[in-house]
Amino acid sequence: MRWLKREGLLEPGRIAQVTWSRRDRVTGEIGIIAERGRIILDYRQRPRGGEWETLSYPVDLVETPCNLGGARPWFLCPNPGCRRRVAILYADRLFVCRHCLSLTYPSQREDATDRAARRADRIRDKLGWKRGILNGPGWLKPKGMHWKTFQHLCWKHDLFASRALAGMREDLDRRYGRR
């Protein structure tokens, strides 16, 4: 939605052909026809290697007011049983919201060990250290960072790294029957 708005493709009367590619080879294209309060998606797809089919259907748009003026556009999920207000539609047979496809964010599939490792890596990024808890700490404080902040981030990094390593050890013990 944000890209369509930025490119001016939501203005009534606009017609556009959007393509996407992988390794410099066009893998898909979709026609977008903007009307007042909706866009029409027009595309061809080949479900699971079957015959090509052409789909054309409207996706309703709604706007919510912004605090400092203007309005923010949203799609209404075209799935009849859903109709959620969303900013992103995902491709299946129809373009629908993530809830209709039961999609999850990667962090929703993390266990405590993965979460601790991810949080340690986020701190490593702030400190300018190489990612990965097994890489060891960097020793230089980033320029402009207060020593107190640096020490606090180092302490938090060590806490998350030790949690991640303990979780990995428990997982290996469970998997290979040690202890």
Side-chain angles (χ1 to χ4, degrees):
M1 171 57 73
R2 306 297 172 247
W3 181 81
L4 292 173
K5 173 78 172 165
R6 206 172 27 253
E7 296 295 317
L9 299 177
L10 298 177
E11 300 296 322
R14 290 288 307 261
I15 298 174
Q17 193 76 17
V18 179
T19 61
W20 52 95
S21 59
R22 181 175 288 153
R23 296 188 195 124
D24 297 326
R25 194 175 128 246
V26 174
T27 57
E29 64 182 21
I30 187 167
I32 300 172
I33 303 168
E35 297 179 350
R36 186 174 202 81
R38 70 181 191 168
I39 61 172
I40 297 174
L41 300 178
D42 187 20
Y43 60 97
R44 286 177 18 128
Q45 74 159 4
R46 191 173 167 184
R48 294 175 181 78
E51 294 297 316
W52 283 97
E53 64 178 324
T54 300
L55 295 168
S56 182
Y57 58 92
V59 177
D60 292 329
L61 305 175
V62 293
E63 290 185 338
T64 55
C66 295
N67 289 334
L68 299 175
R72 179 170 291 127
W74 302 92
F75 295 118
L76 283 182
C77 178
N79 187 354
C82 180
R83 307 293 289 165
R84 288 180 195 256
R85 185 181 69 195
V86 296
I88 301 173
L89 295 176
Y90 297 86
D92 192 34
R93 182 175 181 273
L94 300 177
F95 281 83
V96 293
C97 72
R98 67 182 307 108
H99 303 283
C100 293
L101 294 176
S102 300
L103 299 176
T104 59
Y105 293 104
S107 62
Q108 291 174 297
R109 295 186 301 270
E110 286 180 338
D111 61 9
T113 301
D114 295 332
R115 190 170 300 110
R118 180 175 48 83
R119 292 182 75 182
D121 274 343
R122 192 177 314 137
I123 291 171
R124 294 179 77 81
D125 290 341
K126 285 182 185 178
L127 295 173
W129 298 353
K130 186 175 179 183
R131 292 182 70 98
I133 58 174
L134 298 178
N135 284 322
W139 299 109
L140 296 176
K141 176 184 74 69
K143 185 174 181 175
M145 182 179 284
H146 291 270
W147 275 104
K148 189 174 183 178
T149 303
F150 177 70
Q151 291 168 342
H152 180 70
L153 287 175
C154 288
W155 175 80
K156 283 178 75 172
H157 169 269
D158 292 346
L159 176 69
F160 293 132
S162 65
R163 285 182 186 170
L165 290 170
M168 289 176 197
R169 179 180 176 163
E170 287 175 18
D171 186 42
L172 289 171
D173 287 346
R174 221 180 0 261
R175 194 171 290 176
Y176 296 107
R178 295 185 184 153
R179 281 194 185 167

PDB file of all heavy atoms in Angstrom, residues 3-38:
ATOM      1  N   TRP A   3       3.909   1.739  -1.022  1.00  0.00           N
ATOM      2  CA  TRP A   3       4.581   1.924  -2.313  1.00  0.00           C
ATOM      3  C   TRP A   3       3.593   2.435  -3.360  1.00  0.00           C
ATOM      4  O   TRP A   3       3.905   3.348  -4.127  1.00  0.00           O
ATOM      5  CB  TRP A   3       5.215   0.609  -2.768  1.00  0.00           C
ATOM      6  CG  TRP A   3       5.945   0.739  -4.060  1.00  0.00           C
ATOM      7  CD1 TRP A   3       7.207   1.217  -4.240  1.00  0.00           C
ATOM      8  CD2 TRP A   3       5.445   0.416  -5.361  1.00  0.00           C
ATOM      9  NE1 TRP A   3       7.526   1.201  -5.582  1.00  0.00           N
ATOM     10  CE2 TRP A   3       6.453   0.708  -6.290  1.00  0.00           C
ATOM     11  CE3 TRP A   3       4.240  -0.109  -5.824  1.00  0.00           C
ATOM     12  CZ2 TRP A   3       6.303   0.506  -7.644  1.00  0.00           C
ATOM     13  CZ3 TRP A   3       4.086  -0.315  -7.182  1.00  0.00           C
ATOM     14  CH2 TRP A   3       5.117   0.000  -8.083  1.00  0.00           C
ATOM     15  N   LEU A   4       2.400   1.876  -3.401  1.00  0.00           N
ATOM     16  CA  LEU A   4       1.388   2.335  -4.361  1.00  0.00           C
ATOM     17  C   LEU A   4       1.065   3.809  -4.132  1.00  0.00           C
ATOM     18  O   LEU A   4       0.951   4.579  -5.084  1.00  0.00           O
ATOM     19  CB  LEU A   4       0.111   1.498  -4.242  1.00  0.00           C
ATOM     20  CG  LEU A   4       0.206   0.044  -4.670  1.00  0.00           C
ATOM     21  CD1 LEU A   4      -1.087  -0.685  -4.329  1.00  0.00           C
ATOM     22  CD2 LEU A   4       0.496  -0.071  -6.153  1.00  0.00           C
ATOM     23  N   LYS A   5       0.929   4.197  -2.879  1.00  0.00           N
ATOM     24  CA  LYS A   5       0.636   5.600  -2.541  1.00  0.00           C
ATOM     25  C   LYS A   5       1.797   6.504  -2.966  1.00  0.00           C
ATOM     26  O   LYS A   5       1.587   7.548  -3.585  1.00  0.00           O
ATOM     27  CB  LYS A   5       0.385   5.704  -1.033  1.00  0.00           C
ATOM     28  CG  LYS A   5       0.233   7.107  -0.513  1.00  0.00           C
ATOM     29  CD  LYS A   5      -1.103   7.664  -0.787  1.00  0.00           C
ATOM     30  CE  LYS A   5      -1.259   8.990  -0.060  1.00  0.00           C
ATOM     31  NZ  LYS A   5      -2.368   9.743  -0.530  1.00  0.00           N
ATOM     32  N   ARG A   6       3.020   6.086  -2.637  1.00  0.00           N
ATOM     33  CA  ARG A   6       4.204   6.887  -2.973  1.00  0.00           C
ATOM     34  C   ARG A   6       4.351   7.073  -4.477  1.00  0.00           C
ATOM     35  O   ARG A   6       4.745   8.129  -4.948  1.00  0.00           O
ATOM     36  CB  ARG A   6       5.432   6.194  -2.394  1.00  0.00           C
ATOM     37  CG  ARG A   6       6.579   7.077  -2.106  1.00  0.00           C
ATOM     38  CD  ARG A   6       7.732   6.428  -1.350  1.00  0.00           C
ATOM     39  NE  ARG A   6       7.902   5.005  -1.494  1.00  0.00           N
ATOM     40  CZ  ARG A   6       7.620   4.096  -0.545  1.00  0.00           C
ATOM     41  NH1 ARG A   6       7.152   4.482   0.616  1.00  0.00           N
ATOM     42  NH2 ARG A   6       7.819   2.814  -0.761  1.00  0.00           N
ATOM     43  N   GLU A   7       4.030   6.051  -5.259  1.00  0.00           N
ATOM     44  CA  GLU A   7       4.154   6.108  -6.711  1.00  0.00           C
ATOM     45  C   GLU A   7       2.953   6.786  -7.380  1.00  0.00           C
ATOM     46  O   GLU A   7       2.915   6.921  -8.600  1.00  0.00           O
ATOM     47  CB  GLU A   7       4.330   4.702  -7.290  1.00  0.00           C
ATOM     48  CG  GLU A   7       5.599   4.009  -6.846  1.00  0.00           C
ATOM     49  CD  GLU A   7       6.849   4.701  -7.341  1.00  0.00           C
ATOM     50  OE1 GLU A   7       6.879   5.116  -8.515  1.00  0.00           O
ATOM     51  OE2 GLU A   7       7.799   4.829  -6.545  1.00  0.00           O
ATOM     52  N   GLY A   8       1.951   7.172  -6.603  1.00  0.00           N
ATOM     53  CA  GLY A   8       0.774   7.836  -7.152  1.00  0.00           C
ATOM     54  C   GLY A   8      -0.171   6.893  -7.887  1.00  0.00           C
ATOM     55  O   GLY A   8      -0.998   7.337  -8.691  1.00  0.00           O
ATOM     56  N   LEU A   9      -0.092   5.596  -7.599  1.00  0.00           N
ATOM     57  CA  LEU A   9      -0.912   4.618  -8.316  1.00  0.00           C
ATOM     58  C   LEU A   9      -2.304   4.434  -7.721  1.00  0.00           C
ATOM     59  O   LEU A   9      -3.076   3.617  -8.209  1.00  0.00           O
ATOM     60  CB  LEU A   9      -0.186   3.258  -8.358  1.00  0.00           C
ATOM     61  CG  LEU A   9       1.161   3.270  -9.068  1.00  0.00           C
ATOM     62  CD1 LEU A   9       1.820   1.899  -8.987  1.00  0.00           C
ATOM     63  CD2 LEU A   9       1.003   3.710 -10.511  1.00  0.00           C
ATOM     64  N   LEU A  10      -2.636   5.198  -6.683  1.00  0.00           N
ATOM     65  CA  LEU A  10      -3.967   5.113  -6.089  1.00  0.00           C
ATOM     66  C   LEU A  10      -4.889   6.228  -6.573  1.00  0.00           C
ATOM     67  O   LEU A  10      -6.060   6.261  -6.223  1.00  0.00           O
ATOM     68  CB  LEU A  10      -3.867   5.153  -4.556  1.00  0.00           C
ATOM     69  CG  LEU A  10      -3.088   4.008  -3.910  1.00  0.00           C
ATOM     70  CD1 LEU A  10      -3.007   4.212  -2.406  1.00  0.00           C
ATOM     71  CD2 LEU A  10      -3.713   2.671  -4.235  1.00  0.00           C
ATOM     72  N   GLU A  11      -4.359   7.140  -7.383  1.00  0.00           N
ATOM     73  CA  GLU A  11      -5.160   8.234  -7.910  1.00  0.00           C
ATOM     74  C   GLU A  11      -6.185   7.676  -8.894  1.00  0.00           C
ATOM     75  O   GLU A  11      -5.821   6.935  -9.806  1.00  0.00           O
ATOM     76  CB  GLU A  11      -4.268   9.251  -8.626  1.00  0.00           C
ATOM     77  CG  GLU A  11      -3.205   9.875  -7.748  1.00  0.00           C
ATOM     78  CD  GLU A  11      -3.791  10.699  -6.627  1.00  0.00           C
ATOM     79  OE1 GLU A  11      -4.805  11.384  -6.867  1.00  0.00           O
ATOM     80  OE2 GLU A  11      -3.232  10.660  -5.526  1.00  0.00           O
ATOM     81  N   PRO A  12      -7.471   8.001  -8.721  1.00  0.00           N
ATOM     82  CA  PRO A  12      -8.493   7.489  -9.645  1.00  0.00           C
ATOM     83  C   PRO A  12      -8.127   7.790 -11.097  1.00  0.00           C
ATOM     84  O   PRO A  12      -7.660   8.879 -11.433  1.00  0.00           O
ATOM     85  CB  PRO A  12      -9.755   8.235  -9.226  1.00  0.00           C
ATOM     86  CG  PRO A  12      -9.533   8.579  -7.781  1.00  0.00           C
ATOM     87  CD  PRO A  12      -8.057   8.831  -7.665  1.00  0.00           C
ATOM     88  N   GLY A  13      -8.281   6.791 -11.947  1.00  0.00           N
ATOM     89  CA  GLY A  13      -7.972   6.929 -13.359  1.00  0.00           C
ATOM     90  C   GLY A  13      -6.587   6.426 -13.737  1.00  0.00           C
ATOM     91  O   GLY A  13      -6.281   6.270 -14.910  1.00  0.00           O
ATOM     92  N   ARG A  14      -5.718   6.187 -12.748  1.00  0.00           N
ATOM     93  CA  ARG A  14      -4.372   5.683 -13.041  1.00  0.00           C
ATOM     94  C   ARG A  14      -4.429   4.212 -13.420  1.00  0.00           C
ATOM     95  O   ARG A  14      -5.136   3.425 -12.816  1.00  0.00           O
ATOM     96  CB  ARG A  14      -3.438   5.829 -11.842  1.00  0.00           C
ATOM     97  CG  ARG A  14      -3.029   7.222 -11.489  1.00  0.00           C
ATOM     98  CD  ARG A  14      -2.048   7.852 -12.469  1.00  0.00           C
ATOM     99  NE  ARG A  14      -0.867   7.069 -12.733  1.00  0.00           N
ATOM    100  CZ  ARG A  14       0.307   7.242 -12.170  1.00  0.00           C
ATOM    101  NH1 ARG A  14       0.467   8.182 -11.262  1.00  0.00           N
ATOM    102  NH2 ARG A  14       1.331   6.487 -12.497  1.00  0.00           N
ATOM    103  N   ILE A  15      -3.657   3.855 -14.417  1.00  0.00           N
ATOM    104  CA  ILE A  15      -3.517   2.467 -14.839  1.00  0.00           C
ATOM    105  C   ILE A  15      -2.025   2.170 -14.889  1.00  0.00           C
ATOM    106  O   ILE A  15      -1.244   2.959 -15.434  1.00  0.00           O
ATOM    107  CB  ILE A  15      -4.149   2.237 -16.223  1.00  0.00           C
ATOM    108  CG1 ILE A  15      -5.647   2.533 -16.159  1.00  0.00           C
ATOM    109  CG2 ILE A  15      -3.894   0.822 -16.712  1.00  0.00           C
ATOM    110  CD1 ILE A  15      -6.331   2.481 -17.510  1.00  0.00           C
ATOM    111  N   ALA A  16      -1.628   1.056 -14.304  1.00  0.00           N
ATOM    112  CA  ALA A  16      -0.207   0.716 -14.268  1.00  0.00           C
ATOM    113  C   ALA A  16      -0.011  -0.779 -14.421  1.00  0.00           C
ATOM    114  O   ALA A  16      -0.884  -1.574 -14.067  1.00  0.00           O
ATOM    115  CB  ALA A  16       0.411   1.189 -12.955  1.00  0.00           C
ATOM    116  N   GLN A  17       1.138  -1.134 -14.941  1.00  0.00           N
ATOM    117  CA  GLN A  17       1.561  -2.527 -15.045  1.00  0.00           C
ATOM    118  C   GLN A  17       2.800  -2.659 -14.177  1.00  0.00           C
ATOM    119  O   GLN A  17       3.805  -1.997 -14.428  1.00  0.00           O
ATOM    120  CB  GLN A  17       1.869  -2.879 -16.504  1.00  0.00           C
ATOM    121  CG  GLN A  17       2.026  -4.333 -16.778  1.00  0.00           C
ATOM    122  CD  GLN A  17       0.687  -5.060 -16.826  1.00  0.00           C
ATOM    123  OE1 GLN A  17      -0.372  -4.452 -16.961  1.00  0.00           O
ATOM    124  NE2 GLN A  17       0.738  -6.354 -16.676  1.00  0.00           N
ATOM    125  N   VAL A  18       2.740  -3.471 -13.155  1.00  0.00           N
ATOM    126  CA  VAL A  18       3.856  -3.646 -12.230  1.00  0.00           C
ATOM    127  C   VAL A  18       4.434  -5.038 -12.439  1.00  0.00           C
ATOM    128  O   VAL A  18       3.699  -6.020 -12.476  1.00  0.00           O
ATOM    129  CB  VAL A  18       3.393  -3.477 -10.767  1.00  0.00           C
ATOM    130  CG1 VAL A  18       4.540  -3.690  -9.805  1.00  0.00           C
ATOM    131  CG2 VAL A  18       2.771  -2.102 -10.562  1.00  0.00           C
ATOM    132  N   THR A  19       5.749  -5.104 -12.602  1.00  0.00           N
ATOM    133  CA  THR A  19       6.400  -6.401 -12.777  1.00  0.00           C
ATOM    134  C   THR A  19       7.404  -6.621 -11.660  1.00  0.00           C
ATOM    135  O   THR A  19       7.883  -5.674 -11.044  1.00  0.00           O
ATOM    136  CB  THR A  19       7.156  -6.486 -14.124  1.00  0.00           C
ATOM    137  OG1 THR A  19       8.155  -5.477 -14.143  1.00  0.00           O
ATOM    138  CG2 THR A  19       6.228  -6.305 -15.293  1.00  0.00           C
ATOM    139  N   TRP A  20       7.710  -7.867 -11.375  1.00  0.00           N
ATOM    140  CA  TRP A  20       8.761  -8.194 -10.441  1.00  0.00           C
ATOM    141  C   TRP A  20       9.592  -9.315 -11.042  1.00  0.00           C
ATOM    142  O   TRP A  20       9.149 -10.042 -11.909  1.00  0.00           O
ATOM    143  CB  TRP A  20       8.243  -8.567  -9.051  1.00  0.00           C
ATOM    144  CG  TRP A  20       7.201  -9.621  -9.002  1.00  0.00           C
ATOM    145  CD1 TRP A  20       7.394 -10.951  -8.791  1.00  0.00           C
ATOM    146  CD2 TRP A  20       5.782  -9.443  -9.146  1.00  0.00           C
ATOM    147  NE1 TRP A  20       6.198 -11.605  -8.803  1.00  0.00           N
ATOM    148  CE2 TRP A  20       5.188 -10.709  -9.015  1.00  0.00           C
ATOM    149  CE3 TRP A  20       4.959  -8.343  -9.371  1.00  0.00           C
ATOM    150  CZ2 TRP A  20       3.822 -10.904  -9.102  1.00  0.00           C
ATOM    151  CZ3 TRP A  20       3.601  -8.554  -9.465  1.00  0.00           C
ATOM    152  CH2 TRP A  20       3.043  -9.804  -9.321  1.00  0.00           C
ATOM    153  N   SER A  21      10.838  -9.372 -10.591  1.00  0.00           N
ATOM    154  CA  SER A  21      11.755 -10.322 -11.215  1.00  0.00           C
ATOM    155  C   SER A  21      12.658 -10.972 -10.180  1.00  0.00           C
ATOM    156  O   SER A  21      12.794 -10.495  -9.054  1.00  0.00           O
ATOM    157  CB  SER A  21      12.607  -9.619 -12.265  1.00  0.00           C
ATOM    158  OG  SER A  21      13.340  -8.580 -11.675  1.00  0.00           O
ATOM    159  N   ARG A  22      13.271 -12.045 -10.622  1.00  0.00           N
ATOM    160  CA  ARG A  22      14.259 -12.751  -9.825  1.00  0.00           C
ATOM    161  C   ARG A  22      15.424 -13.066 -10.746  1.00  0.00           C
ATOM    162  O   ARG A  22      15.218 -13.651 -11.799  1.00  0.00           O
ATOM    163  CB  ARG A  22      13.661 -14.030  -9.247  1.00  0.00           C
ATOM    164  CG  ARG A  22      14.658 -14.794  -8.384  1.00  0.00           C
ATOM    165  CD  ARG A  22      14.038 -15.987  -7.716  1.00  0.00           C
ATOM    166  NE  ARG A  22      13.149 -15.492  -6.665  1.00  0.00           N
ATOM    167  CZ  ARG A  22      12.078 -16.145  -6.225  1.00  0.00           C
ATOM    168  NH1 ARG A  22      11.752 -17.294  -6.727  1.00  0.00           N
ATOM    169  NH2 ARG A  22      11.336 -15.626  -5.282  1.00  0.00           N
ATOM    170  N   ARG A  23      16.627 -12.641 -10.338  1.00  0.00           N
ATOM    171  CA  ARG A  23      17.834 -12.838 -11.155  1.00  0.00           C
ATOM    172  C   ARG A  23      17.648 -12.296 -12.568  1.00  0.00           C
ATOM    173  O   ARG A  23      17.884 -12.994 -13.546  1.00  0.00           O
ATOM    174  CB  ARG A  23      18.227 -14.307 -11.185  1.00  0.00           C
ATOM    175  CG  ARG A  23      18.615 -14.845  -9.836  1.00  0.00           C
ATOM    176  CD  ARG A  23      19.195 -16.245  -9.943  1.00  0.00           C
ATOM    177  NE  ARG A  23      19.219 -16.822  -8.615  1.00  0.00           N
ATOM    178  CZ  ARG A  23      18.637 -17.963  -8.289  1.00  0.00           C
ATOM    179  NH1 ARG A  23      18.004 -18.674  -9.189  1.00  0.00           N
ATOM    180  NH2 ARG A  23      18.711 -18.414  -7.061  1.00  0.00           N
ATOM    181  N   ASP A  24      17.165 -11.092 -12.674  1.00  0.00           N
ATOM    182  CA  ASP A  24      16.973 -10.393 -13.954  1.00  0.00           C
ATOM    183  C   ASP A  24      15.995 -11.092 -14.892  1.00  0.00           C
ATOM    184  O   ASP A  24      16.017 -10.872 -16.100  1.00  0.00           O
ATOM    185  CB  ASP A  24      18.318 -10.183 -14.669  1.00  0.00           C
ATOM    186  CG  ASP A  24      19.245  -9.296 -13.860  1.00  0.00           C
ATOM    187  OD1 ASP A  24      18.723  -8.386 -13.179  1.00  0.00           O
ATOM    188  OD2 ASP A  24      20.462  -9.505 -13.907  1.00  0.00           O
ATOM    189  N   ARG A  25      15.134 -11.949 -14.374  1.00  0.00           N
ATOM    190  CA  ARG A  25      14.116 -12.613 -15.180  1.00  0.00           C
ATOM    191  C   ARG A  25      12.747 -12.268 -14.608  1.00  0.00           C
ATOM    192  O   ARG A  25      12.505 -12.470 -13.417  1.00  0.00           O
ATOM    193  CB  ARG A  25      14.329 -14.136 -15.145  1.00  0.00           C
ATOM    194  CG  ARG A  25      13.547 -14.843 -16.210  1.00  0.00           C
ATOM    195  CD  ARG A  25      13.872 -16.350 -16.246  1.00  0.00           C
ATOM    196  NE  ARG A  25      12.616 -17.052 -16.196  1.00  0.00           N
ATOM    197  CZ  ARG A  25      12.197 -17.827 -15.211  1.00  0.00           C
ATOM    198  NH1 ARG A  25      12.958 -18.059 -14.169  1.00  0.00           N
ATOM    199  NH2 ARG A  25      11.019 -18.392 -15.257  1.00  0.00           N
ATOM    200  N   VAL A  26      11.864 -11.724 -15.429  1.00  0.00           N
ATOM    201  CA  VAL A  26      10.533 -11.339 -14.958  1.00  0.00           C
ATOM    202  C   VAL A  26       9.779 -12.595 -14.539  1.00  0.00           C
ATOM    203  O   VAL A  26       9.637 -13.543 -15.307  1.00  0.00           O
ATOM    204  CB  VAL A  26       9.761 -10.572 -16.059  1.00  0.00           C
ATOM    205  CG1 VAL A  26       8.333 -10.317 -15.621  1.00  0.00           C
ATOM    206  CG2 VAL A  26      10.457  -9.262 -16.380  1.00  0.00           C
ATOM    207  N   THR A  27       9.320 -12.598 -13.290  1.00  0.00           N
ATOM    208  CA  THR A  27       8.602 -13.760 -12.773  1.00  0.00           C
ATOM    209  C   THR A  27       7.120 -13.483 -12.556  1.00  0.00           C
ATOM    210  O   THR A  27       6.362 -14.403 -12.285  1.00  0.00           O
ATOM    211  CB  THR A  27       9.218 -14.229 -11.448  1.00  0.00           C
ATOM    212  OG1 THR A  27       9.202 -13.148 -10.517  1.00  0.00           O
ATOM    213  CG2 THR A  27      10.638 -14.710 -11.648  1.00  0.00           C
ATOM    214  N   GLY A  28       6.718 -12.231 -12.640  1.00  0.00           N
ATOM    215  CA  GLY A  28       5.310 -11.925 -12.470  1.00  0.00           C
ATOM    216  C   GLY A  28       4.995 -10.501 -12.857  1.00  0.00           C
ATOM    217  O   GLY A  28       5.881  -9.645 -12.911  1.00  0.00           O
ATOM    218  N   GLU A  29       3.734 -10.285 -13.155  1.00  0.00           N
ATOM    219  CA  GLU A  29       3.283  -8.930 -13.437  1.00  0.00           C
ATOM    220  C   GLU A  29       1.815  -8.834 -13.076  1.00  0.00           C
ATOM    221  O   GLU A  29       1.084  -9.826 -13.072  1.00  0.00           O
ATOM    222  CB  GLU A  29       3.517  -8.550 -14.891  1.00  0.00           C
ATOM    223  CG  GLU A  29       2.750  -9.362 -15.901  1.00  0.00           C
ATOM    224  CD  GLU A  29       3.085  -8.938 -17.327  1.00  0.00           C
ATOM    225  OE1 GLU A  29       4.143  -8.341 -17.552  1.00  0.00           O
ATOM    226  OE2 GLU A  29       2.263  -9.211 -18.192  1.00  0.00           O
ATOM    227  N   ILE A  30       1.432  -7.616 -12.744  1.00  0.00           N
ATOM    228  CA  ILE A  30       0.050  -7.381 -12.343  1.00  0.00           C
ATOM    229  C   ILE A  30      -0.387  -6.015 -12.859  1.00  0.00           C
ATOM    230  O   ILE A  30       0.380  -5.054 -12.807  1.00  0.00           O
ATOM    231  CB  ILE A  30      -0.088  -7.485 -10.801  1.00  0.00           C
ATOM    232  CG1 ILE A  30      -1.548  -7.412 -10.379  1.00  0.00           C
ATOM    233  CG2 ILE A  30       0.735  -6.430 -10.110  1.00  0.00           C
ATOM    234  CD1 ILE A  30      -1.763  -7.815  -8.945  1.00  0.00           C
ATOM    235  N   GLY A  31      -1.587  -5.954 -13.371  1.00  0.00           N
ATOM    236  CA  GLY A  31      -2.158  -4.689 -13.804  1.00  0.00           C
ATOM    237  C   GLY A  31      -2.963  -4.084 -12.665  1.00  0.00           C
ATOM    238  O   GLY A  31      -3.684  -4.788 -11.960  1.00  0.00           O
ATOM    239  N   ILE A  32      -2.816  -2.785 -12.474  1.00  0.00           N
ATOM    240  CA  ILE A  32      -3.535  -2.085 -11.409  1.00  0.00           C
ATOM    241  C   ILE A  32      -4.324  -0.957 -12.039  1.00  0.00           C
ATOM    242  O   ILE A  32      -3.763  -0.110 -12.734  1.00  0.00           O
ATOM    243  CB  ILE A  32      -2.560  -1.534 -10.357  1.00  0.00           C
ATOM    244  CG1 ILE A  32      -1.767  -2.680  -9.745  1.00  0.00           C
ATOM    245  CG2 ILE A  32      -3.301  -0.738  -9.292  1.00  0.00           C
ATOM    246  CD1 ILE A  32      -0.648  -2.230  -8.846  1.00  0.00           C
ATOM    247  N   ILE A  33      -5.614  -0.972 -11.803  1.00  0.00           N
ATOM    248  CA  ILE A  33      -6.496   0.090 -12.286  1.00  0.00           C
ATOM    249  C   ILE A  33      -7.081   0.765 -11.051  1.00  0.00           C
ATOM    250  O   ILE A  33      -7.767   0.120 -10.259  1.00  0.00           O
ATOM    251  CB  ILE A  33      -7.620  -0.480 -13.175  1.00  0.00           C
ATOM    252  CG1 ILE A  33      -7.013  -1.245 -14.346  1.00  0.00           C
ATOM    253  CG2 ILE A  33      -8.549   0.634 -13.646  1.00  0.00           C
ATOM    254  CD1 ILE A  33      -8.017  -2.089 -15.114  1.00  0.00           C
ATOM    255  N   ALA A  34      -6.793   2.034 -10.889  1.00  0.00           N
ATOM    256  CA  ALA A  34      -7.272   2.764  -9.718  1.00  0.00           C
ATOM    257  C   ALA A  34      -8.615   3.416 -10.011  1.00  0.00           C
ATOM    258  O   ALA A  34      -8.792   4.066 -11.043  1.00  0.00           O
ATOM    259  CB  ALA A  34      -6.255   3.819  -9.299  1.00  0.00           C
ATOM    260  N   GLU A  35      -9.540   3.208  -9.122  1.00  0.00           N
ATOM    261  CA  GLU A  35     -10.862   3.847  -9.178  1.00  0.00           C
ATOM    262  C   GLU A  35     -11.101   4.512  -7.834  1.00  0.00           C
ATOM    263  O   GLU A  35     -10.325   4.342  -6.900  1.00  0.00           O
ATOM    264  CB  GLU A  35     -11.949   2.803  -9.463  1.00  0.00           C
ATOM    265  CG  GLU A  35     -11.811   2.129 -10.812  1.00  0.00           C
ATOM    266  CD  GLU A  35     -12.886   1.083 -11.057  1.00  0.00           C
ATOM    267  OE1 GLU A  35     -13.639   0.743 -10.112  1.00  0.00           O
ATOM    268  OE2 GLU A  35     -12.971   0.593 -12.195  1.00  0.00           O
ATOM    269  N   ARG A  36     -12.170   5.241  -7.731  1.00  0.00           N
ATOM    270  CA  ARG A  36     -12.491   5.912  -6.475  1.00  0.00           C
ATOM    271  C   ARG A  36     -12.865   4.863  -5.421  1.00  0.00           C
ATOM    272  O   ARG A  36     -13.801   4.113  -5.592  1.00  0.00           O
ATOM    273  CB  ARG A  36     -13.623   6.898  -6.682  1.00  0.00           C
ATOM    274  CG  ARG A  36     -13.919   7.740  -5.484  1.00  0.00           C
ATOM    275  CD  ARG A  36     -14.968   8.800  -5.846  1.00  0.00           C
ATOM    276  NE  ARG A  36     -14.918   9.901  -4.937  1.00  0.00           N
ATOM    277  CZ  ARG A  36     -14.055  10.904  -4.993  1.00  0.00           C
ATOM    278  NH1 ARG A  36     -13.139  10.918  -5.932  1.00  0.00           N
ATOM    279  NH2 ARG A  36     -14.085  11.876  -4.119  1.00  0.00           N
ATOM    280  N   GLY A  37     -12.085   4.786  -4.343  1.00  0.00           N
ATOM    281  CA  GLY A  37     -12.379   3.885  -3.241  1.00  0.00           C
ATOM    282  C   GLY A  37     -11.981   2.429  -3.466  1.00  0.00           C
ATOM    283  O   GLY A  37     -12.283   1.580  -2.635  1.00  0.00           O
ATOM    284  N   ARG A  38     -11.298   2.135  -4.578  1.00  0.00           N
ATOM    285  CA  ARG A  38     -10.855   0.758  -4.803  1.00  0.00           C
ATOM    286  C   ARG A  38      -9.828   0.710  -5.928  1.00  0.00           C
ATOM    287  O   ARG A  38      -9.669   1.677  -6.678  1.00  0.00           O
ATOM    288  CB  ARG A  38     -12.024  -0.161  -5.136  1.00  0.00           C
ATOM    289  CG  ARG A  38     -12.636   0.083  -6.489  1.00  0.00           C
ATOM    290  CD  ARG A  38     -13.792  -0.846  -6.739  1.00  0.00           C
ATOM    291  NE  ARG A  38     -14.222  -0.789  -8.124  1.00  0.00           N
ATOM    292  CZ  ARG A  38     -15.047  -1.633  -8.671  1.00  0.00           C
ATOM    293  NH1 ARG A  38     -15.548  -2.605  -7.953  1.00  0.00           N
ATOM    294  NH2 ARG A  38     -15.375  -1.518  -9.928  1.00  0.00           N
TER     295      ARG A  38
END
